[in-house]
Amino acid sequence: MMKVQKYLAAAAVFLALPAQAQTVSFLSETHAMIHVPAGHKYLLLPVEESQENDYIRVSVDTKLVKELNCKLAVSKTDYMVPLDLQRIIAEEKGHKDAKGNIVIDFTFNRGNNNPGGQIALKNFACWKELKLSDTFDTTNRERLRPVYHHTPAYGWMNDPNGMFYKDGVWNLYFQHNPYGSQWENMTWGHSTSTDLIHWKFEGDPIERDAFGTIFSGSAVVDKDNTAGYGKGAVIAYYTSAGQAQTQSMAVSTDNGKTFTKYADNPVLVSNIPDFRDPHLFWYAPQQKWIMIVSESQHMKIFSSKNLKDWTFESTFGDGYGSHDGVWECPDLIEVKNEEGSGKNQNGSKWILICNINPGGPSGGSATQYFTGTFDGHQFTCDTDPKVTKWMDWGKDHYATVTFDNAPDGRHVALPWMSNWQYANQLPTKQYRSANGIARDLGYFEYKDTGYVSVKPSPEVFAAFSKKAQASLSPACRVDIQLRGNATVTLSNSKGEQVVMTYNAANETFSMDRTKSGDISFSNDFAAVTKAPTRGRIKTLQLFIDKSSIEAFDADGKMAMTNIVFPSEPYNKITVKGGNAKIYGLK
């Protein structure tokens, strides 16, 4: 009886939110509820990252319409995230007799900072700042946010998804958590750009449904209406991550701004747990679509005439390359031999891109690839199965895939610029993670072996002034003409530095970030990354942007991507064995 009386007493407690008409009803020591009055766009949720996830359910007119996890503040608020009430109401307006009565139901995990329930639920910090608002301020509050790299306006980001080019616009979707800056609540965030440098956040057009959260995938422009939704419709495929990982489809007829999910989802299923990240492309010789999907530690290839009905073609992967982690985020592209040399002088090569976690050359996640042929049914690797080829030799290059329908037959790729070893702990709060700069992929041969060439895209170079400047700036490009062995050091007045070393005789390039700035957040962050150069580097190109350094051989034979967190910008460059020119942004 005493327990029942205690529960009823708790249920009778109400707490008015600051400057708002609604109240919080405390129903138990771990359960609360709010009736939200109409007329506001957002409910702003206070987040404390050291807590465990709490479970939030949103209902409209007693119908459950949304579920999410959020680390609500117990002792302090790290930042706020928006729950878009206006969108929730808009999606329910089509239902007959909808009134739009919103109820938010909170189930709390007491959290690491509240052992044994030392802080009563009604005294949690979140209730002091939980509020309704018609605006959500996304003005940058992060000192180290990059200038010319894509970052989410707020929240967590990982894999690039569904990328396509159409009508002069580059469309980038990405794994997004709108309710915190750590991994959770996977949706497809959306950003657009006309120059691959300046990006506009467009919202989250594909969200969780009955089949699960929304994992990675791709999108294609259906130019010839093969799927029956009209010429130029955008067809997206993504992984529904619920009790199993299955492949689902969504359709956009407004250039990717909104999507309608296919009524017959899921389209493809498997009895293997790691079955994800479908990537599609048009195979012109046989007038059909190809889908490559990762499944555990191999790839599966399917074909379709209509983007709905798929035929299994083949598998690839057993015994090839690195198997130190799960294979995911595949891509399959045909590239031309840039140099017109070697055994494949005037032809092309197929490249199968395979991201792997863990198992990278410097630990954690990385992008490997295979060269070979593809006949519309089977990919055949042309290299010894024991050979592993890496697209980038830094620690922060992952989930790399290409844009569909890129102009002039180009293969433009974007990586996620982080590593699963420490991505959730990076020293930012308003957002986490950036994409690397756009890079065009090609093919070259060295000592009778074929490799992918990686060069910054022309749009990236166009962002910089043609006139050199006298000193480093926080966001700049540096071109260094190397004479032979060389050492390049970026440093600041705090004694922080990044040291790059080129050994011409050994054909190696390395980057040492062990003294680069803040390395305290992870034992895996401090590292020296090392790459083969496949010949001589004549021009080394560095792209520096507040918290990242990307190094390229100008001929495309070496790429290395590393993030850094200096306490102040590197303002000095010392070059031994070469001459540097510095170019600022226009």
Side-chain angles (χ1 to χ4, degrees), residues 488 499-503 508-512 528-531 533 558 560 562:
V488 180
V499 180
M500 288 161 275
T501 304
Y502 170 57
N503 188 311
T508 60
F509 176 85
S510 67
M511 188 184 301
D512 183 345
V528 179
T529 56
K530 188 175 182 179
T533 62
M558 187 281 301
M560 182 177 288
N562 285 315

Side-chain angles (χ1 to χ4, degrees), residues 206-248:
I206 304 182
E207 296 187 313
R208 172 181 178 171
D209 57 28
F211 299 115
T213 53
I214 312 301
F215 276 17
S216 296
S218 65
V220 293
V221 180
D222 187 11
K223 298 177 183 178
D224 298 321
N225 192 26
T226 62
Y229 297 102
K231 290 185 176 182
V234 176
I235 311 297
Y237 262 85
Y238 57 89
T239 297
S240 296
Q243 292 295 317
Q245 293 184 356
T246 59
Q247 313 317 313
S248 295

Side-chain angles (χ1 to χ4, degrees), residues 481-552:
Q481 304 301 318
L482 302 179
R483 295 190 291 268
N485 291 349
T487 301
V488 180
T489 303
L490 306 177
S491 60
N492 60 24
S493 65
K494 302 293 186 181
E496 299 165 346
Q497 62 179 21
V498 175
V499 180
M500 288 161 275
T501 304
Y502 170 57
N503 188 311
N506 294 339
E507 297 185 358
T508 60
F509 176 85
S510 67
M511 188 184 301
D512 183 345
R513 71 174 182 192
T514 59
K515 299 178 181 178
S516 58
D518 186 359
I519 60 173
S520 64
F521 52 89
S522 170
N523 292 332
D524 295 309
F525 188 79
V528 179
T529 56
K530 188 175 182 179
T533 62
R534 319 287 187 205
R536 180 187 171 188
I537 297 181
K538 298 177 183 178
T539 303
L540 177 68
Q541 297 169 331
L542 302 179
F543 291 82
I544 303 166
D545 193 1
K546 287 195 172 182
S547 54
S548 64
I549 301 170
E550 294 161 282
F552 297 87

Side-chain angles (χ1 to χ4, degrees), residues 151-165:
T151 57
Y154 63 95
W156 162 275
M157 178 185 77
N158 57 290
D159 306 356
N161 298 156
M163 303 187 301
F164 69 92
Y165 176 86

Side-chain angles (χ1 to χ4, degrees), residues 330-341:
D331 200 346
L332 187 56
I333 59 176
E334 185 181 20
V335 296
K336 295 181 179 179
N337 186 344
E338 294 180 348
E339 296 183 343
S341 60

Side-chain angles (χ1 to χ4, degrees), residues 306-347:
N306 62 6
L307 286 167
K308 302 172 185 174
D309 303 304
W310 294 91
T311 300
F312 171 72
E313 297 285 355
S314 62
T315 62
F316 170 80
D318 292 344
Y320 282 86
S322 173
H323 286 266
D324 292 334
V326 175
W327 286 22
E328 52 188 9
C329 299
D331 200 346
L332 187 56
I333 59 176
E334 185 181 20
V335 296
K336 295 181 179 179
N337 186 344
E338 294 180 348
E339 296 183 343
S341 60
K343 294 180 180 179
N344 192 43
Q345 292 186 10
N346 300 311

